Structure formats: structure tokens, C-alpha cells
Amino acid sequence: MATQGSNEQGRGTARRKLLGAAVLGAGGAVLGLPGVASADGQRTGGYRSLPKPTVIGHRGASGYRPEHTFGSYELALDLGADVVEAGDLVPTKDGHLVCRHEPEIGGTTDVAAHPEFAGRKTTKTLDGVATTGWFTEDFTLAELKTLRAIERIPANRQRNTLYNGRWEIPTFEEVLQWQDEQTRKRGKQVWIYPETKHPTYFRKLGLGLEERLAKILHKHGKDRKNSPVIIQSFEPSSIQRLDKLVGNPLVVLLSAANTRPWDFVTAGDLRTVADLVTPAGLQWIASYAQGIGPTLDLVIPKDANGALTTPTTLVADAHKAGLILHPYTMRNENTFLPANFRTGTDPNAYGDAFGAFRTYFATGIDGVFSDNADTALLAREDFVNG
């Protein structure tokens, strides 16, 4: 028992040293250390200098505020998030990139309450799915700026509806300006993690996302290898295109194992996500990207009852290929947690999120997207301290 205790203490000490070094690397701008973030945001130690496991504020602090708003983004920083997912990028009719979870904005803005836009409601086929609502590509930026954000899942997060109507839709250019302001204000580099949404869909509409994104990043000097902007997409071809346009770290998002990325579907590529998470598939991703963002179920599958089972080899296989892993998405509510970490019968009550975080962190993932950055930070502290 004494030997086991010594081993546990040793592992805890090693974890603390690892976290301490990572935190120093990410926040060293305050001390003016070389090779890390400077206060003007133009120089960082790169994505591998971020604390591990990295806590990524999913659409900001969306567990507490309507997602993809400056209120949500700033709260994520206040809660301690290492990186803020700002934002999911979709275009306007006049070619601006704005931050919304989806191009359909009926569920995330008050557009339905604007009679002047009633005639814009329509049904479109979005990645093979008939979707009814209002779409960003049918609005100019000026028109979108008359709308206000609302809570996307009010049935689960009724308290968040208190903030409905408080914030407008941010553009990505505004996000980059906000990033610089927050970096100066907080004395350490703020990192963001935008995503190209439905790039094949928008390219067919003549609204290619990658070129617009690259142009904005270049304008702000944030298109380099060590720039504090990590770019992600569910479509590998979007990341491949970006690899030729920018130097930023790039991440391929991976959905359920039996699904196919939409660009694969349109190109007749028969590979599924299951093929991409094999060693060969991961090597292929590593030829143009630096990381993957798998659904948590690809890290630890669930059984028929929704309880966690045995971890896969994905973490080890991805690391062997030189890739980092930032899985998605941890949320505190029972309805979103694995069945063996739910507490009580209320689906919207908080379950044992700390237990779930501990289990996922133990697999060796490099970070995680979370709607509740404060919970994730405490869970990381527990994990690092053994």
C-alpha cells in the first residue's frame, strides 16, 4: 500500500509539473518570456503551449449565456477558458462572415419576431436535410445586425432565456478585434477556435468560406503557424483548402463512426468516419492538419443504455500520428451526460460532470470542448492534482 501511495503521489506531482509548465507557456506574456504570447497578440508559443488538458469554451460559455455572443465569449474568459470557440462561421448575402451555430437562424435569433423578414422564411436542403427557417445567406450584414441572439435550447436552459435579446450577431472581424482587446485587457494571449460551417453548401452558392476566412486572418496578421487561432471543420476538404491558404493550426472534426463528411458524400468518397480514425486514416489527416476534434463517443463508446464502456485506441493512435485531440462536447446537465454519470431524474439538473470529466481526461485527450468552462477547469485541477 505504501508503494501504491508513493506511485499515486508521483503521478500527481508529475501532472502538476506538466500543468504548471503548460500554464507558464500559455500565459508567459505577462512575464515577458521569449517564445510565448506577447500582449499585442502577434507572437505566441503555438497551440502546443496551451495548458493540457486544454479547456475550450464551447461557443463561449453557452451553459450560461446564449451562444456565439460577446456576452458568452467574455464569460468563458472570465471563467478561465484557455480557448474560446468564436465562432461557427457562416456568410451573409453580401459576403461577410458571422458567428452562428448554423446558417438557419430561427432558433438562435429573434428573427421570427421581425415581421419585415417574415417573407424570408423558406425551406432549403442543407447537407441533404430539408431545413425550414431563415438563413444567413438571405440577409445582408446590416439586416442581420437588427436581430438579437436568443437561447438555442430553452427547454434545457430556461435560465439562459433571461439574456435573450441582449446581444447582436458578431462578425468574425469583430471577434478578431475583440480578441486583441481582451488580450490587452487581461494581460495574456486570448485564443480562439473558429469553424467553417457547411463549406461545400456555401461554395456551391458562390460564398466560399475558406478564402474569406484567410483574407480576414491575413488582414489582421493572424494567418501564421503560431497565431492564436485554431481552425476546425467537419469537412476534410475545407481543412485541405485552408492548409494551402493559411499557416494556422488546423483540426478535422469527426462525427459518429458510421457517418460520412458531407464533402465526401458530394464527391462520391465512400469513406466513413470509422475509416478516418484508423491508423491509416489518421496518417492521412496528419498530412494536412495538426489535430482532430472527435465526438466523445469515438474516445469512449457508450452501450445501449448510454453508459460509458471501454476506451478505444483513438487517443494513442492519433498521438502516434502526431495529432492532438480536442473532443466535443462536455455539458453539465443530465440529459447530455453518459448514463452512468446522471444524478436524479430531472434531465435538466446537473449530474456528476466531474466524474465524467475525470474519466475522459484519463484517456489522455489533449483538451475538451465544454459549455461550462468553470466546471472543466475545476475538473482539470482535480485531475492534475491526482
Side-chain angles (χ1 to χ4, degrees):
M1 293 298 289
T3 302
Q4 181 180 2
S6 299
N7 289 341
E8 291 290 343
Q9 184 178 16
R11 284 195 292 270
T13 301
R15 287 174 180 168
R16 286 191 291 275
K17 287 181 178 178
L18 174 63
L19 181 63
V23 170
L24 183 61
V30 180
L31 303 178
L33 297 178
V36 294
S38 60
D40 63 6
Q42 298 307 304
R43 183 165 56 91
T44 77
Y47 67 97
R48 291 191 181 274
S49 72
L50 290 165
K52 293 184 181 179
T54 306
V55 172
I56 304 156
H58 186 235
R59 305 172 197 160
S62 52
Y64 311 110
R65 299 289 188 273
E67 63 193 29
H68 287 312
T69 61
F70 282 122
S72 182
Y73 296 160
E74 289 194 22
L75 182 57
L77 293 179
D78 291 343
L79 296 175
D82 304 310
V83 184
V84 179
E85 189 190 29
D88 292 337
L89 303 181
V90 292
T92 65
K93 183 178 182 179
D94 46 351
H96 296 274
L97 294 182
V98 297
C99 303
R100 288 291 85 195
H101 172 50
E102 291 287 341
E104 197 292 300
I105 54 173
T108 61
T109 74
D110 61 358
V111 64
H114 285 251
E116 69 272 26
F117 298 136
R120 308 261 181 109
K121 188 175 185 179
T122 186
T123 298
K124 299 189 179 189
T125 301
L126 184 62
D127 291 4
V129 179
T131 305
T132 300
W134 292 262
F135 295 80
T136 59
E137 66 268 23
D138 296 331
F139 292 78
T140 65
L141 178 60
E143 289 172 330
L144 284 179
K145 284 294 188 179
T146 68
L147 307 179
R148 292 297 179 268
I150 62 173
E151 171 57 37
R152 185 176 62 87
I153 46 173
N156 302 111
R157 292 173 173 168
Q158 191 274 333
R159 292 180 179 178
N160 291 12
T161 63
L162 174 66
Y163 304 98
N164 283 355
R166 182 168 290 269
W167 295 289
E168 63 180 30
I169 298 173
T171 68
F172 185 59
E173 189 140 25
E174 289 170 343
V175 164
L176 293 179
Q177 294 165 350
W178 168 85
Q179 179 186 26
D180 289 341
E181 292 168 0
Q182 293 297 315
T183 293
R184 289 190 294 268
K185 174 183 175 181
R186 297 171 189 269
K188 66 178 182 178
Q189 180 62 58
V190 168
W191 281 72
I192 60 172
Y193 211 134
E195 175 188 344
T196 58
K197 299 290 291 192
H198 305 286
T200 294
Y201 168 81
F202 284 118
R203 184 163 293 277
K204 289 183 177 180
L205 295 178
L207 292 167
L209 300 179
E210 296 83 5
E211 294 82 3
R212 285 173 168 80
L213 175 55
K215 183 178 179 179
I216 296 173
L217 290 173
H218 180 71
K219 175 183 175 182
H220 289 265
K222 296 181 179 179
D223 58 345
R224 305 161 193 168
K225 177 181 178 181
N226 287 338
S227 295
V229 182
I230 306 170
I231 308 172
Q232 56 183 331
S233 182
F234 277 102
E235 296 189 14
S237 64
S238 182
I239 296 300
Q240 289 176 309
R241 185 172 282 112
L242 283 162
D243 183 42
K244 295 179 174 63
L245 296 172
V246 298
N248 300 73
L250 305 173
V251 170
V252 175
L253 296 168
L254 300 169
S255 190
N258 62 349
T259 64
R260 292 163 66 201
W262 184 248
D263 55 337
F264 281 19
V265 174
T266 60
D269 189 328
L270 298 181
R271 287 178 297 172
T272 66
V273 168
D275 296 311
L276 298 184
V277 297
T278 63
L282 293 168
Q283 287 289 348
W284 176 73
I285 291 175
S287 69
Y288 57 86
Q290 286 67 51
I292 58 173
T295 174
L296 285 164
D297 288 348
L298 292 175
V299 178
I300 310 180
K302 297 187 182 81
D303 63 20
N305 296 318
L308 295 184
T309 59
T310 303
T312 67
T313 62
L314 179 59
V315 173
D317 293 341
H319 285 165
K320 187 175 181 179
L323 297 166
I324 60 169
L325 295 90
H326 291 159
Y328 65 93
T329 302
M330 270 296 298
R331 300 177 169 100
N332 286 359
E333 294 90 353
N334 278 321
T335 192
F336 302 116
L337 288 170
N340 43 329
F341 293 102
R342 296 171 191 163
T343 304
T345 58
D346 181 353
N348 298 319
Y350 282 4
D352 180 16
F354 289 114
F357 271 114
R358 182 170 58 250
T359 303
Y360 287 121
F361 286 160
T363 65
I365 58 176
D366 299 285
V368 67
F369 287 81
S370 175
D371 286 10
N372 311 84
D374 50 345
T375 307
L377 264 284
L378 285 172
R380 180 175 73 187
E381 183 179 347
D382 291 346
F383 176 74
V384 170
N385 290 333

